[in-house]
Structure formats: structure tokens, C-alpha cells
Tab-separated table of all heavy atoms in Angstrom:
chain	number	residue	atom	x	y	z
F	1	MET	N	-21.326	-11.801	-0.396
F	1	MET	CA	-20.045	-11.211	-0.715
F	1	MET	C	-20.181	-10.490	-2.065
F	1	MET	O	-20.655	-11.063	-3.035
F	1	MET	CB	-18.973	-12.316	-0.794
F	1	MET	CG	-17.576	-11.788	-0.966
F	1	MET	SD	-16.286	-13.060	-1.127
F	1	MET	CE	-16.310	-13.838	0.458
F	2	SER	N	-19.743	-9.247	-2.100
F	2	SER	CA	-19.830	-8.460	-3.332
F	2	SER	C	-18.769	-8.901	-4.339
F	2	SER	O	-17.823	-9.623	-3.996
F	2	SER	CB	-19.645	-6.974	-3.018
F	2	SER	OG	-18.285	-6.713	-2.684
F	3	ASN	N	-18.920	-8.465	-5.575
F	3	ASN	CA	-17.938	-8.801	-6.606
F	3	ASN	C	-16.561	-8.268	-6.247
F	3	ASN	O	-15.551	-8.955	-6.456
F	3	ASN	CB	-18.367	-8.249	-7.965
F	3	ASN	CG	-19.515	-9.025	-8.561
F	3	ASN	OD1	-19.716	-10.194	-8.231
F	3	ASN	ND2	-20.263	-8.391	-9.435
F	4	LEU	N	-16.498	-7.052	-5.715
F	4	LEU	CA	-15.215	-6.474	-5.326
F	4	LEU	C	-14.586	-7.291	-4.203
F	4	LEU	O	-13.384	-7.562	-4.221
F	4	LEU	CB	-15.385	-5.015	-4.893
F	4	LEU	CG	-14.112	-4.285	-4.474
F	4	LEU	CD1	-13.063	-4.320	-5.584
F	4	LEU	CD2	-14.429	-2.854	-4.069
F	5	GLN	N	-15.377	-7.714	-3.236
F	5	GLN	CA	-14.855	-8.547	-2.154
F	5	GLN	C	-14.319	-9.870	-2.703
F	5	GLN	O	-13.263	-10.325	-2.281
F	5	GLN	CB	-15.943	-8.816	-1.119
F	5	GLN	CG	-16.300	-7.612	-0.294
F	5	GLN	CD	-17.499	-7.864	0.599
F	5	GLN	OE1	-18.200	-8.859	0.474
F	5	GLN	NE2	-17.742	-6.936	1.511
F	6	LYS	N	-15.023	-10.472	-3.652
F	6	LYS	CA	-14.563	-11.718	-4.257
F	6	LYS	C	-13.234	-11.512	-4.981
F	6	LYS	O	-12.336	-12.343	-4.877
F	6	LYS	CB	-15.605	-12.257	-5.236
F	6	LYS	CG	-16.821	-12.830	-4.566
F	6	LYS	CD	-17.831	-13.291	-5.592
F	6	LYS	CE	-19.133	-13.684	-4.919
F	6	LYS	NZ	-20.168	-14.037	-5.894
F	7	GLU	N	-13.123	-10.406	-5.725
F	7	GLU	CA	-11.879	-10.112	-6.448
F	7	GLU	C	-10.713	-9.952	-5.477
F	7	GLU	O	-9.622	-10.499	-5.704
F	7	GLU	CB	-12.037	-8.841	-7.269
F	7	GLU	CG	-12.919	-8.973	-8.480
F	7	GLU	CD	-13.110	-7.643	-9.187
F	7	GLU	OE1	-12.197	-6.790	-9.147
F	7	GLU	OE2	-14.180	-7.461	-9.793
F	8	ILE	N	-10.931	-9.196	-4.410
F	8	ILE	CA	-9.867	-8.959	-3.432
F	8	ILE	C	-9.522	-10.246	-2.697
F	8	ILE	O	-8.345	-10.547	-2.481
F	8	ILE	CB	-10.266	-7.828	-2.467
F	8	ILE	CG1	-10.346	-6.495	-3.228
F	8	ILE	CG2	-9.285	-7.727	-1.308
F	8	ILE	CD1	-10.920	-5.344	-2.428
F	9	TYR	N	-10.525	-11.016	-2.319
F	9	TYR	CA	-10.280	-12.291	-1.636
F	9	TYR	C	-9.458	-13.226	-2.525
F	9	TYR	O	-8.486	-13.837	-2.072
F	9	TYR	CB	-11.605	-12.943	-1.250
F	9	TYR	CG	-11.446	-14.261	-0.542
F	9	TYR	CD1	-11.023	-14.305	0.782
F	9	TYR	CD2	-11.699	-15.458	-1.190
F	9	TYR	CE1	-10.862	-15.514	1.446
F	9	TYR	CE2	-11.542	-16.671	-0.542
F	9	TYR	CZ	-11.128	-16.688	0.774
F	9	TYR	OH	-10.962	-17.882	1.424
F	10	THR	N	-9.824	-13.323	-3.778
F	10	THR	CA	-9.084	-14.160	-4.730
F	10	THR	C	-7.656	-13.660	-4.875
F	10	THR	O	-6.714	-14.458	-4.938
F	10	THR	CB	-9.796	-14.159	-6.099
F	10	THR	OG1	-11.123	-14.662	-5.921
F	10	THR	CG2	-9.056	-15.026	-7.108
F	11	TYR	N	-7.483	-12.359	-4.912
F	11	TYR	CA	-6.144	-11.778	-5.017
F	11	TYR	C	-5.303	-12.181	-3.806
F	11	TYR	O	-4.146	-12.576	-3.953
F	11	TYR	CB	-6.234	-10.259	-5.137
F	11	TYR	CG	-4.894	-9.604	-5.358
F	11	TYR	CD1	-4.359	-9.501	-6.630
F	11	TYR	CD2	-4.154	-9.116	-4.290
F	11	TYR	CE1	-3.124	-8.920	-6.843
F	11	TYR	CE2	-2.917	-8.537	-4.486
F	11	TYR	CZ	-2.409	-8.442	-5.767
F	11	TYR	OH	-1.183	-7.878	-5.965
F	12	PHE	N	-5.872	-12.072	-2.617
F	12	PHE	CA	-5.148	-12.419	-1.393
F	12	PHE	C	-4.832	-13.912	-1.300
F	12	PHE	O	-3.940	-14.299	-0.548
F	12	PHE	CB	-5.901	-11.962	-0.149
F	12	PHE	CG	-5.645	-10.531	0.228
F	12	PHE	CD1	-6.703	-9.664	0.441
F	12	PHE	CD2	-4.356	-10.045	0.379
F	12	PHE	CE1	-6.480	-8.347	0.796
F	12	PHE	CE2	-4.115	-8.730	0.732
F	12	PHE	CZ	-5.174	-7.878	0.935
F	13	GLN	N	-5.528	-14.758	-2.016
F	13	GLN	CA	-5.203	-16.179	-2.016
F	13	GLN	C	-3.842	-16.442	-2.652
F	13	GLN	O	-3.196	-17.433	-2.349
F	13	GLN	CB	-6.288	-16.980	-2.738
F	13	GLN	CG	-7.568	-17.064	-1.945
F	13	GLN	CD	-8.665	-17.799	-2.673
F	13	GLN	OE1	-8.795	-17.697	-3.890
F	13	GLN	NE2	-9.471	-18.533	-1.921
F	14	GLU	N	-3.404	-15.530	-3.526
F	14	GLU	CA	-2.127	-15.708	-4.212
F	14	GLU	C	-1.068	-14.681	-3.814
F	14	GLU	O	0.104	-14.855	-4.151
F	14	GLU	CB	-2.348	-15.647	-5.719
F	14	GLU	CG	-3.251	-16.760	-6.218
F	14	GLU	CD	-3.477	-16.700	-7.711
F	14	GLU	OE1	-2.726	-15.982	-8.400
F	14	GLU	OE2	-4.403	-17.364	-8.192
F	15	HIS	N	-1.467	-13.595	-3.165
F	15	HIS	CA	-0.548	-12.519	-2.798
F	15	HIS	C	-0.781	-12.113	-1.346
F	15	HIS	O	-1.864	-12.316	-0.813
F	15	HIS	CB	-0.776	-11.293	-3.683
F	15	HIS	CG	-0.697	-11.588	-5.148
F	15	HIS	ND1	-1.790	-11.980	-5.877
F	15	HIS	CD2	0.346	-11.557	-6.006
F	15	HIS	CE1	-1.423	-12.169	-7.138
F	15	HIS	NE2	-0.123	-11.929	-7.234
F	16	ILE	N	0.224	-11.498	-0.746
F	16	ILE	CA	0.037	-11.029	0.635
F	16	ILE	C	-0.175	-9.521	0.700
F	16	ILE	O	-0.647	-9.012	1.708
F	16	ILE	CB	1.236	-11.419	1.532
F	16	ILE	CG1	2.524	-10.803	1.027
F	16	ILE	CG2	1.349	-12.923	1.663
F	16	ILE	CD1	3.677	-10.887	1.998
F	17	GLN	N	0.157	-8.797	-0.390
F	17	GLN	CA	0.021	-7.341	-0.389
F	17	GLN	C	-0.917	-6.902	-1.500
F	17	GLN	O	-0.785	-7.339	-2.644
F	17	GLN	CB	1.375	-6.669	-0.574
F	17	GLN	CG	1.306	-5.158	-0.512
F	17	GLN	CD	2.667	-4.499	-0.679
F	17	GLN	OE1	3.613	-5.121	-1.154
F	17	GLN	NE2	2.765	-3.259	-0.281
F	18	PHE	N	-1.861	-6.031	-1.145
F	18	PHE	CA	-2.809	-5.469	-2.102
F	18	PHE	C	-2.577	-3.971	-2.168
F	18	PHE	O	-2.607	-3.292	-1.141
F	18	PHE	CB	-4.250	-5.760	-1.656
F	18	PHE	CG	-5.297	-5.180	-2.549
F	18	PHE	CD1	-5.688	-5.849	-3.704
F	18	PHE	CD2	-5.905	-3.973	-2.242
F	18	PHE	CE1	-6.662	-5.307	-4.535
F	18	PHE	CE2	-6.874	-3.435	-3.058
F	18	PHE	CZ	-7.262	-4.106	-4.207
F	19	HIS	N	-2.324	-3.441	-3.367
F	19	HIS	CA	-2.140	-2.000	-3.555
F	19	HIS	C	-3.480	-1.379	-3.929
F	19	HIS	O	-4.151	-1.849	-4.849
F	19	HIS	CB	-1.114	-1.721	-4.652
F	19	HIS	CG	0.277	-2.077	-4.251
F	19	HIS	ND1	1.077	-1.232	-3.534
F	19	HIS	CD2	0.986	-3.209	-4.437
F	19	HIS	CE1	2.236	-1.817	-3.310
F	19	HIS	NE2	2.203	-3.026	-3.844
F	20	TYR	N	-3.849	-0.333	-3.192
F	20	TYR	CA	-5.101	0.361	-3.474
F	20	TYR	C	-5.036	1.093	-4.807
F	20	TYR	O	-3.969	1.523	-5.254
F	20	TYR	CB	-5.398	1.393	-2.380
F	20	TYR	CG	-5.607	0.814	-1.011
F	20	TYR	CD1	-4.834	1.226	0.053
F	20	TYR	CD2	-6.589	-0.138	-0.770
F	20	TYR	CE1	-5.012	0.722	1.326
F	20	TYR	CE2	-6.785	-0.662	0.495
F	20	TYR	CZ	-5.997	-0.225	1.539
F	20	TYR	OH	-6.185	-0.733	2.786
F	21	ASN	N	-6.187	1.279	-5.399
F	21	ASN	CA	-6.328	2.056	-6.615
F	21	ASN	C	-5.963	3.511	-6.330
F	21	ASN	O	-6.205	4.007	-5.228
F	21	ASN	CB	-7.781	1.959	-7.099
F	21	ASN	CG	-7.967	2.427	-8.504
F	21	ASN	OD1	-7.662	3.550	-8.843
F	21	ASN	ND2	-8.487	1.534	-9.331
F	22	THR	N	-5.435	4.216	-7.316
F	22	THR	CA	-5.073	5.621	-7.116
F	22	THR	C	-6.299	6.532	-7.152
F	22	THR	O	-6.243	7.659	-6.661
F	22	THR	CB	-4.058	6.092	-8.181
F	22	THR	OG1	-4.594	5.846	-9.483
F	22	THR	CG2	-2.734	5.350	-8.020
F	23	ASN	N	-7.397	6.057	-7.697
F	23	ASN	CA	-8.649	6.805	-7.692
F	23	ASN	C	-9.232	6.744	-6.282
F	23	ASN	O	-9.489	5.658	-5.753
F	23	ASN	CB	-9.615	6.183	-8.711
F	23	ASN	CG	-10.967	6.845	-8.727
F	23	ASN	OD1	-11.678	6.841	-7.715
F	23	ASN	ND2	-11.328	7.395	-9.860
F	24	SER	N	-9.437	7.901	-5.663
F	24	SER	CA	-9.850	7.926	-4.247
F	24	SER	C	-11.214	7.279	-4.005
F	24	SER	O	-11.410	6.631	-2.982
F	24	SER	CB	-9.831	9.351	-3.704
F	24	SER	OG	-10.723	10.172	-4.421
F	25	ALA	N	-12.153	7.428	-4.947
F	25	ALA	CA	-13.471	6.806	-4.767
F	25	ALA	C	-13.355	5.282	-4.795
F	25	ALA	O	-13.971	4.587	-3.976
F	25	ALA	CB	-14.434	7.284	-5.845
F	26	GLN	N	-12.543	4.766	-5.712
F	26	GLN	CA	-12.334	3.313	-5.787
F	26	GLN	C	-11.561	2.820	-4.570
F	26	GLN	O	-11.843	1.747	-4.042
F	26	GLN	CB	-11.591	2.941	-7.082
F	26	GLN	CG	-11.341	1.465	-7.244
F	26	GLN	CD	-12.602	0.622	-7.354
F	26	GLN	OE1	-13.667	1.122	-7.690
F	26	GLN	NE2	-12.483	-0.649	-7.063
F	27	LYS	N	-10.605	3.599	-4.103
F	27	LYS	CA	-9.820	3.225	-2.928
F	27	LYS	C	-10.721	3.063	-1.710
F	27	LYS	O	-10.583	2.107	-0.952
F	27	LYS	CB	-8.743	4.279	-2.650
F	27	LYS	CG	-7.889	3.957	-1.440
F	27	LYS	CD	-6.827	5.024	-1.224
F	27	LYS	CE	-6.019	4.756	0.032
F	27	LYS	NZ	-4.965	5.762	0.231
F	28	ILE	N	-11.665	3.957	-1.536
F	28	ILE	CA	-12.604	3.872	-0.411
F	28	ILE	C	-13.424	2.587	-0.501
F	28	ILE	O	-13.630	1.898	0.502
F	28	ILE	CB	-13.512	5.117	-0.362
F	28	ILE	CG1	-12.674	6.331	0.045
F	28	ILE	CG2	-14.691	4.914	0.583
F	28	ILE	CD1	-13.378	7.658	-0.135
F	29	ARG	N	-13.876	2.231	-1.712
F	29	ARG	CA	-14.635	0.988	-1.890
F	29	ARG	C	-13.770	-0.226	-1.557
F	29	ARG	O	-14.237	-1.187	-0.938
F	29	ARG	CB	-15.190	0.893	-3.318
F	29	ARG	CG	-16.370	1.813	-3.569
F	29	ARG	CD	-17.053	1.514	-4.888
F	29	ARG	NE	-16.266	1.951	-6.034
F	29	ARG	CZ	-16.286	3.177	-6.551
F	29	ARG	NH1	-17.060	4.097	-6.024
F	29	ARG	NH2	-15.549	3.477	-7.602
F	30	GLU	N	-12.505	-0.186	-1.964
F	30	GLU	CA	-11.593	-1.290	-1.666
F	30	GLU	C	-11.343	-1.418	-0.164
F	30	GLU	O	-11.360	-2.524	0.375
F	30	GLU	CB	-10.271	-1.088	-2.408
F	30	GLU	CG	-10.395	-1.240	-3.904
F	30	GLU	CD	-9.170	-0.824	-4.678
F	30	GLU	OE1	-8.260	-0.183	-4.093
F	30	GLU	OE2	-9.103	-1.125	-5.880
F	31	ILE	N	-11.149	-0.297	0.509
F	31	ILE	CA	-10.948	-0.317	1.968
F	31	ILE	C	-12.169	-0.898	2.663
F	31	ILE	O	-12.053	-1.737	3.558
F	31	ILE	CB	-10.608	1.092	2.492
F	31	ILE	CG1	-9.210	1.502	2.016
F	31	ILE	CG2	-10.715	1.153	4.013
F	31	ILE	CD1	-8.867	2.964	2.262
F	32	ASP	N	-13.352	-0.471	2.242
F	32	ASP	CA	-14.588	-0.998	2.830
F	32	ASP	C	-14.738	-2.494	2.575
F	32	ASP	O	-15.158	-3.240	3.462
F	32	ASP	CB	-15.810	-0.245	2.283
F	32	ASP	CG	-15.905	1.177	2.795
F	32	ASP	OD1	-15.249	1.503	3.810
F	32	ASP	OD2	-16.634	1.976	2.161
F	33	ALA	N	-14.395	-2.938	1.372
F	33	ALA	CA	-14.489	-4.359	1.032
F	33	ALA	C	-13.522	-5.181	1.885
F	33	ALA	O	-13.881	-6.254	2.387
F	33	ALA	CB	-14.197	-4.575	-0.446
F	34	ILE	N	-12.314	-4.673	2.084
F	34	ILE	CA	-11.329	-5.378	2.903
F	34	ILE	C	-11.780	-5.431	4.351
F	34	ILE	O	-11.660	-6.465	5.011
F	34	ILE	CB	-9.940	-4.724	2.746
F	34	ILE	CG1	-9.404	-5.024	1.344
F	34	ILE	CG2	-8.972	-5.215	3.819
F	34	ILE	CD1	-8.199	-4.213	0.943
F	35	ARG	N	-12.329	-4.357	4.856
F	35	ARG	CA	-12.849	-4.364	6.235
F	35	ARG	C	-13.966	-5.380	6.401
F	35	ARG	O	-14.055	-6.059	7.431
F	35	ARG	CB	-13.336	-2.964	6.609
F	35	ARG	CG	-12.225	-2.016	6.909
F	35	ARG	CD	-12.749	-0.697	7.399
F	35	ARG	NE	-11.629	0.211	7.671
F	35	ARG	CZ	-11.674	1.517	7.508
F	35	ARG	NH1	-12.780	2.101	7.087
F	35	ARG	NH2	-10.620	2.256	7.770
F	36	GLU	N	-14.828	-5.478	5.400
F	36	GLU	CA	-15.924	-6.447	5.465
F	36	GLU	C	-15.383	-7.883	5.419
F	36	GLU	O	-15.866	-8.754	6.146
F	36	GLU	CB	-16.905	-6.198	4.320
F	36	GLU	CG	-18.188	-6.981	4.428
F	36	GLU	CD	-19.039	-6.618	5.632
F	36	GLU	OE1	-18.940	-5.493	6.149
F	36	GLU	OE2	-19.820	-7.490	6.070
F	37	LEU	N	-14.387	-8.135	4.576
F	37	LEU	CA	-13.765	-9.462	4.536
F	37	LEU	C	-13.139	-9.799	5.883
F	37	LEU	O	-13.250	-10.926	6.362
F	37	LEU	CB	-12.691	-9.514	3.440
F	37	LEU	CG	-13.188	-9.561	2.000
F	37	LEU	CD1	-12.031	-9.347	1.035
F	37	LEU	CD2	-13.893	-10.876	1.717
F	38	GLU	N	-12.518	-8.819	6.493
F	38	GLU	CA	-11.899	-9.025	7.805
F	38	GLU	C	-12.967	-9.263	8.873
F	38	GLU	O	-12.835	-10.156	9.699
F	38	GLU	CB	-11.049	-7.806	8.153
F	38	GLU	CG	-10.231	-7.961	9.395
F	38	GLU	CD	-9.353	-6.750	9.663
F	38	GLU	OE1	-9.680	-5.634	9.232
F	38	GLU	OE2	-8.328	-6.954	10.332
F	39	ARG	N	-14.028	-8.493	8.832
F	39	ARG	CA	-15.113	-8.628	9.808
F	39	ARG	C	-15.784	-9.996	9.710
F	39	ARG	O	-16.180	-10.579	10.723
F	39	ARG	CB	-16.135	-7.509	9.574
F	39	ARG	CG	-17.178	-7.356	10.622
F	39	ARG	CD	-18.123	-6.191	10.357
F	39	ARG	NE	-17.840	-5.513	9.101
F	39	ARG	CZ	-17.574	-4.204	8.979
F	39	ARG	NH1	-17.581	-3.434	10.010
F	39	ARG	NH2	-17.325	-3.660	7.804
F	40	ASN	N	-15.886	-10.518	8.481
F	40	ASN	CA	-16.517	-11.826	8.272
F	40	ASN	C	-15.524	-12.986	8.368
F	40	ASN	O	-15.858	-14.124	8.053
F	40	ASN	CB	-17.220	-11.862	6.913
F	40	ASN	CG	-18.432	-10.968	6.901
F	40	ASN	OD1	-19.125	-10.821	7.907
F	40	ASN	ND2	-18.704	-10.354	5.765
F	41	LYS	N	-14.303	-12.671	8.802
F	41	LYS	CA	-13.272	-13.666	9.086
F	41	LYS	C	-12.804	-14.456	7.851
F	41	LYS	O	-12.448	-15.623	7.941
F	41	LYS	CB	-13.724	-14.623	10.180
F	41	LYS	CG	-14.239	-13.915	11.423
F	41	LYS	CD	-13.478	-14.315	12.630
F	41	LYS	CE	-14.086	-13.769	13.903
F	41	LYS	NZ	-13.818	-12.398	14.166
F	42	TYR	N	-12.803	-13.790	6.687
F	42	TYR	CA	-12.226	-14.393	5.490
F	42	TYR	C	-10.728	-14.132	5.422
F	42	TYR	O	-9.987	-14.939	4.867
F	42	TYR	CB	-12.876	-13.830	4.213
F	42	TYR	CG	-14.274	-14.330	3.985
F	42	TYR	CD1	-15.370	-13.510	4.233
F	42	TYR	CD2	-14.504	-15.611	3.503
F	42	TYR	CE1	-16.657	-13.959	4.016
F	42	TYR	CE2	-15.792	-16.070	3.284
F	42	TYR	CZ	-16.862	-15.239	3.544
F	42	TYR	OH	-18.133	-15.691	3.332
F	43	ILE	N	-10.296	-12.982	5.959
F	43	ILE	CA	-8.885	-12.617	5.949
F	43	ILE	C	-8.502	-12.032	7.307
F	43	ILE	O	-9.367	-11.641	8.088
F	43	ILE	CB	-8.554	-11.578	4.847
F	43	ILE	CG1	-9.302	-10.258	5.092
F	43	ILE	CG2	-8.827	-12.134	3.463
F	43	ILE	CD1	-8.891	-9.115	4.188
F	44	VAL	N	-7.189	-11.986	7.549
F	44	VAL	CA	-6.634	-11.295	8.710
F	44	VAL	C	-5.663	-10.258	8.169
F	44	VAL	O	-4.708	-10.599	7.466
F	44	VAL	CB	-5.882	-12.264	9.651
F	44	VAL	CG1	-5.156	-11.499	10.742
F	44	VAL	CG2	-6.833	-13.263	10.242
F	45	VAL	N	-5.922	-8.997	8.456
F	45	VAL	CA	-5.038	-7.926	8.013
F	45	VAL	C	-3.852	-7.876	8.971
F	45	VAL	O	-4.022	-7.809	10.184
F	45	VAL	CB	-5.781	-6.574	7.972
F	45	VAL	CG1	-4.815	-5.444	7.684
F	45	VAL	CG2	-6.888	-6.612	6.935
F	46	THR	N	-2.654	-7.932	8.402
F	46	THR	CA	-1.440	-7.927	9.215
F	46	THR	C	-0.772	-6.563	9.243
F	46	THR	O	-0.028	-6.262	10.172
F	46	THR	CB	-0.444	-8.986	8.714
F	46	THR	OG1	-0.165	-8.752	7.341
F	46	THR	CG2	-1.014	-10.386	8.891
F	47	ALA	N	-1.024	-5.723	8.236
F	47	ALA	CA	-0.462	-4.370	8.214
F	47	ALA	C	-1.273	-3.504	7.253
F	47	ALA	O	-1.755	-3.978	6.225
F	47	ALA	CB	0.994	-4.397	7.784
F	48	ARG	N	-1.422	-2.244	7.628
F	48	ARG	CA	-2.119	-1.270	6.781
F	48	ARG	C	-1.195	-0.090	6.525
F	48	ARG	O	-0.565	0.415	7.447
F	48	ARG	CB	-3.369	-0.736	7.473
F	48	ARG	CG	-4.446	-1.738	7.697
F	48	ARG	CD	-5.661	-1.062	8.346
F	48	ARG	NE	-6.541	-2.007	8.960
F	48	ARG	CZ	-7.511	-2.663	8.313
F	48	ARG	NH1	-7.695	-2.453	7.050
F	48	ARG	NH2	-8.267	-3.527	8.953
F	49	TYR	N	-1.137	0.322	5.269
F	49	TYR	CA	-0.361	1.490	4.871
F	49	TYR	C	-1.248	2.391	4.030
F	49	TYR	O	-2.331	1.992	3.614
F	49	TYR	CB	0.890	1.068	4.089
F	49	TYR	CG	1.824	0.221	4.917
F	49	TYR	CD1	1.810	-1.165	4.806
F	49	TYR	CD2	2.690	0.797	5.828
F	49	TYR	CE1	2.648	-1.947	5.584
F	49	TYR	CE2	3.532	0.022	6.610
F	49	TYR	CZ	3.507	-1.351	6.481
F	49	TYR	OH	4.328	-2.123	7.258
F	50	ILE	N	-0.778	3.584	3.760
F	50	ILE	CA	-1.587	4.546	3.030
F	50	ILE	C	-1.899	4.082	1.600
F	50	ILE	O	-2.948	4.403	1.055
F	50	ILE	CB	-0.926	5.936	3.049
F	50	ILE	CG1	-1.958	7.001	2.864
F	50	ILE	CG2	0.172	6.058	2.033
F	50	ILE	CD1	-1.591	8.325	3.443
F	51	ASP	N	-0.995	3.291	1.012
F	51	ASP	CA	-1.187	2.869	-0.371
F	51	ASP	C	-1.425	1.366	-0.541
F	51	ASP	O	-1.682	0.903	-1.649
F	51	ASP	CB	0.020	3.281	-1.213
F	51	ASP	CG	1.300	2.577	-0.785
F	51	ASP	OD1	1.374	2.107	0.365
F	51	ASP	OD2	2.222	2.499	-1.612
F	52	SER	N	-1.361	0.613	0.560
F	52	SER	CA	-1.530	-0.839	0.436
F	52	SER	C	-1.923	-1.461	1.773
F	52	SER	O	-1.918	-0.804	2.808
F	52	SER	CB	-0.236	-1.486	-0.064
F	52	SER	OG	0.798	-1.303	0.863
F	53	VAL	N	-2.239	-2.754	1.696
F	53	VAL	CA	-2.612	-3.515	2.875
F	53	VAL	C	-2.037	-4.925	2.729
F	53	VAL	O	-1.974	-5.452	1.628
F	53	VAL	CB	-4.141	-3.544	3.079
F	53	VAL	CG1	-4.848	-4.223	1.943
F	53	VAL	CG2	-4.537	-4.189	4.388
F	54	PHE	N	-1.569	-5.480	3.834
F	54	PHE	CA	-1.087	-6.860	3.877
F	54	PHE	C	-2.104	-7.699	4.625
F	54	PHE	O	-2.604	-7.281	5.674
F	54	PHE	CB	0.255	-6.935	4.623
F	54	PHE	CG	1.422	-6.384	3.855
F	54	PHE	CD1	1.639	-5.019	3.786
F	54	PHE	CD2	2.300	-7.241	3.205
F	54	PHE	CE1	2.718	-4.505	3.081
F	54	PHE	CE2	3.385	-6.736	2.518
F	54	PHE	CZ	3.594	-5.371	2.447
F	55	ALA	N	-2.384	-8.898	4.095
F	55	ALA	CA	-3.353	-9.769	4.754
F	55	ALA	C	-3.101	-11.223	4.412
F	55	ALA	O	-2.433	-11.541	3.418
F	55	ALA	CB	-4.777	-9.386	4.343
F	56	LYS	N	-3.647	-12.096	5.262
F	56	LYS	CA	-3.588	-13.539	5.053
F	56	LYS	C	-5.009	-14.070	4.975
F	56	LYS	O	-5.887	-13.641	5.712
F	56	LYS	CB	-2.858	-14.229	6.206
F	56	LYS	CG	-1.391	-13.909	6.287
F	56	LYS	CD	-0.686	-14.789	7.301
F	56	LYS	CE	-0.993	-14.334	8.698
F	56	LYS	NZ	-0.237	-15.022	9.737
F	57	VAL	N	-5.207	-15.043	4.107
F	57	VAL	CA	-6.499	-15.709	3.975
F	57	VAL	C	-6.627	-16.748	5.071
F	57	VAL	O	-5.682	-17.456	5.382
F	57	VAL	CB	-6.617	-16.380	2.587
F	57	VAL	CG1	-7.889	-17.200	2.477
F	57	VAL	CG2	-6.568	-15.324	1.489
F	58	LEU	N	-7.796	-16.819	5.684
F	58	LEU	CA	-8.047	-17.835	6.727
F	58	LEU	C	-8.611	-19.100	6.122
F	58	LEU	O	-9.180	-19.128	5.106
F	58	LEU	CB	-9.006	-17.272	7.779
F	58	LEU	CG	-8.480	-16.102	8.575
F	58	LEU	CD1	-9.547	-15.608	9.543
F	58	LEU	CD2	-7.248	-16.502	9.336
């Protein structure tokens, strides 16, 4: 698990909504990290929006 994935996973342990960074390059990294967390069954994404994502920790 990458550092970014760990940060996002830890964030989701306390929150249900994650707002993407406004920097497009960072946003892409965050989207990829969230997809990887979902693929590895650490989280379940419940909704995706252009500026944020909702998820639950498994």
C-alpha cells in the first residue's frame, strides 16, 4: 500500500466523503489510489462525483 493509499484509507476511517485535490495531477493520483483500495477490498465506494467520493471502510 502506497503512502497516499494509507492517507486516504486513514481518512475514510473517520469520514465518509473525500474531496479531491484541485490540482489535476494530484487528483488523478488520488483517484488511482482510491481505485486500488477498492480493488484490494479495503473500502467500498458508495458514490462518485466530479469533486469527491463517498466510501466505507471494510
Side-chain angles (χ1 to χ4, degrees):
M1 187 182 294
S2 72
N3 287 336
L4 181 56
Q5 289 173 349
K6 287 178 188 176
E7 288 176 30
I8 293 172
Y9 180 74
T10 301
Y11 185 84
F12 275 128
Q13 288 177 324
E14 298 180 15
H15 306 89
I16 61 168
Q17 183 179 18
F18 178 83
H19 290 276
Y20 297 123
N21 194 302
T22 55
N23 177 299
S24 61
Q26 180 63 21
K27 180 179 177 178
I28 290 168
R29 286 191 287 274
E30 291 170 348
I31 290 170
D32 289 342
I34 289 168
R35 284 185 181 147
E36 190 64 25
L37 287 169
E38 187 177 26
R39 190 178 3 236
N40 291 326
K41 309 238 188 282
Y42 287 104
I43 63 171
V44 172
V45 173
T46 56
R48 294 182 198 274
Y49 298 98
I50 205 154
D51 64 338
S52 63
V53 63
F54 287 79
K56 292 189 284 187
V57 174
L58 295 178

